[in-house]
Amino acid sequence: PGRKEPALRDVSFTMAPGSRIALVGHNGSGKSTLIKLLCGLYQPDSGQIFIDGWNIADLAPEALRRHFAVVFQDYGRYCFTLQENVELGDVEKMQGTVEARERHVRAALHQGLADEMAGMLGKPLGNLSPEGIGLSGGQWQRLALSRACFRDSAVMVLDEPTASLDPVAENQMYANFTEMMKGRSCILISHRLAVARYTDRILVLQGGRLIQDGTHHSLLEEGGVYASMYRAQSHWYDSGKATKL
């Protein structure tokens, strides 16, 4: 409200089924706004968005949101049982048998790299009950990933999915990224550009505009914003250029 300039302008691209796209850009470039438009959480002032040829403006909100499983940076932390935390990703599956529900939840925990929590499915989380279990930030984030994996969606959207993970868990997640996204399309937002090699294509936003579109290698050769951002980060991983503090 009150903003004079649009958050996004001249952004146009096509995403093929099963593809993995990285959205990169500085803070305020429009990445999260773009995701919220795709999911129907915001309505565009102009322009159109299509899924499988259907204008999303013509789809019922429930039908549109079935296409997506999203993990935003401010993901939910629910003081329910661990199993219920996962099942909130697709409440319709809660109508199944006890065995089927548990099987689906364990599979989602495995995909979300949260296998170590599979032994406490019935345990309440948080501080609302004396028996509540407190989780670390990294555990909550892996639970959010598992909740997204539990949902049978065509597209998974991950907004800074490793922000709360330690380096070992982060490396493990990206090592298993292909398996996690099996059978899905993926849109990945991350300021850590080293993860771009796990995607098929990179879209670079700046000032609300799409300014570059290509693979990691093609954008490095092209130069420009992506190459400068990547080289600025890679400097910190070059042991020969370590900075003394």
Side-chain angles (χ1 to χ4, degrees):
R3 179 172 176 148
K4 296 181 179 179
E5 294 295 323
L8 292 170
R9 176 186 290 171
D10 300 329
V11 176
S12 181
F13 64 94
T14 300
M15 182 177 182
S19 60
R20 299 187 292 269
I21 289 181
L23 284 180
V24 304
H26 297 294
N27 289 334
S29 61
K31 301 184 298 296
S32 294
T33 299
L34 177 57
I35 293 305
K36 290 174 182 177
L37 284 165
L38 290 176
C39 296
L41 300 178
Y42 293 165
Q43 298 301 316
D45 298 305
S46 62
Q48 296 175 307
I49 302 170
F50 295 89
I51 296 179
D52 293 335
W54 291 90
N55 189 329
I56 67 171
D58 298 329
L59 296 176
E62 296 80 8
L64 171 61
R65 290 167 191 166
R66 291 298 307 176
H67 284 81
F68 297 96
V70 187
V71 181
F72 289 114
Q73 294 183 54
D74 53 347
Y75 50 84
R77 304 185 183 197
Y78 306 106
C79 292
F80 303 145
T81 66
L82 189 143
Q83 178 167 333
E84 290 167 342
N85 262 270
V86 176
E87 289 180 319
L88 284 173
D90 191 343
V91 293
E92 291 182 5
K93 289 185 179 179
M94 298 176 75
Q95 308 304 316
T97 65
V98 173
E99 294 77 10
R101 289 175 59 185
E102 184 172 318
R103 182 173 66 252
H104 290 311
V105 168
R106 289 183 183 277
L109 289 171
H110 176 70
Q111 284 187 293
L113 305 179
D115 280 319
E116 82 281 1
M117 291 189 271
M120 50 184 188
L121 296 184
K123 300 290 185 180
L125 304 181
N127 301 317
L128 293 185
S129 70
E131 299 81 20
I133 298 174
L135 300 181
S136 67
Q139 287 176 313
W140 278 115
Q141 186 153 43
R142 279 180 283 165
L143 199 55
L145 284 169
S146 300
R147 184 160 54 243
C149 291
F150 186 77
R151 187 176 182 84
D152 294 326
S153 62
V155 183
M156 183 175 290
V157 180
L158 304 177
D159 189 354
E160 295 291 353
T162 63
S164 299
L165 300 184
D166 61 64
V168 173
E170 180 181 22
N171 185 66
Q172 183 185 8
M173 178 191 156
Y174 289 123
N176 291 275
F177 186 72
T178 300
E179 177 64 24
M180 186 184 297
M181 296 301 116
K182 190 174 182 179
R184 307 173 189 260
S185 302
C186 177
I187 301 175
L188 172 67
I189 300 176
S190 181
H191 287 100
R192 305 186 190 189
L193 301 188
V195 308
R197 65 182 183 271
Y198 296 100
T199 64
D200 307 311
R201 183 173 159 211
I202 301 163
L203 305 181
V204 184
L205 296 174
Q206 185 177 55
R209 297 177 184 268
L210 177 60
I211 60 170
Q212 289 184 293
D213 181 351
T215 66
H216 172 68
H217 295 295
S218 70
L219 292 181
L220 285 182
E221 292 178 357
E222 178 183 320
V225 171
Y226 179 80
S228 66
M229 290 175 64
Y230 181 80
R231 288 169 183 144
Q233 289 191 10
S234 64
H235 166 82
W236 298 104
Y237 298 99
D238 185 343
S239 58
K241 299 180 181 179
T243 302
K244 293 183 179 180
L245 299 178

